[in-house]
Amino acid sequence: MSANGQNPRTLAQEQVDRPLAAFARDYRGGEVTGWHHHARAQLLYATRGVMRVGTEAAGFTVPPGRALWVPARMGHEVRTEGEVAMRALFFREDAARVGESRAAVLGVSPLLRELILAACAEPLEWDEAGRGGHLAALIAEEVARAPRLPLAVPALRDPRLRRLAEALRADPASKLTLEEHAARCGASARTLARLFRGETGMGFARWRQTLRLAEAAALLSQGATPARAAAAVGYDSAPAFGAAFRAAFGVTPGAGR
């Protein structure tokens, strides 16, 4: 265990002297990695299944078509929803400059997807002057150009807020007001509102909308229709859902699907 209580996972991909190294593993539904960190930055991507990734600052929903940039030494935990085919990349420090200094969800273009899969087919010590070197250079370019998506839901620390968050994740369509949640969480609505502002910098309504849109994006990426995704996360009006989705992600729900 490390000094901060997290388990530093050391893999061969973190020790090889290459700018990046690919990692492929399939997980069963419901698996949990536990809190850990890596010495190298990661690009977490899955060709199948949804990953729920938690960091100290935020929670991320990562469906196929999206990837999560995790900086080196950042503590995180991955939970799988359905069977997950993870195809991740580890970046050496000098190559990690193409990424972010904080965790961020990236849009994965068809080209980047194929590049990740091609990197997974290369040997660990690929030829830097050959195909592996060309793949690594293209991956660096695509990661740097990939759109950053607002799929982060600020994490909550207060036990009362966490109980509220667990209830909403279980039922994103819940119509309960903050006052009704307060009665179940053992705190006044005023106290919860103050805690939301203090911990996330946003009010309850905005935090709930952020959570709902992240859940909707995951449903759309798994093939749900915009109407079904809207209903599942609590939108009674398809136009209202479409407007909120476009404002958050810059595309229509149909394009997000």
Side-chain angles (χ1 to χ4, degrees), residues 40 113-114 154 186 243-244:
R40 292 189 180 184
R113 178 186 187 278
E114 295 305 317

Side-chain angles (χ1 to χ4, degrees), residues 150-154 202 205-215:
L151 283 170
V153 180
M202 59 178 68
R206 185 180 166 198
W207 185 91
R208 180 172 60 183
Q209 182 185 51
T210 301
L211 172 69
R212 285 175 167 175
L213 290 175
E215 294 297 321

Side-chain angles (χ1 to χ4, degrees), residues 69-92:
W69 178 265
V70 182
R73 293 172 289 280
M74 175 176 281
H76 60 283
E77 179 182 68
V78 181
R79 295 174 179 269
T80 61
E81 189 170 294
E83 294 182 350
V84 166
M86 183 186 288
R87 303 294 181 262
L89 300 175
F90 285 85
F91 289 78
R92 200 171 61 193

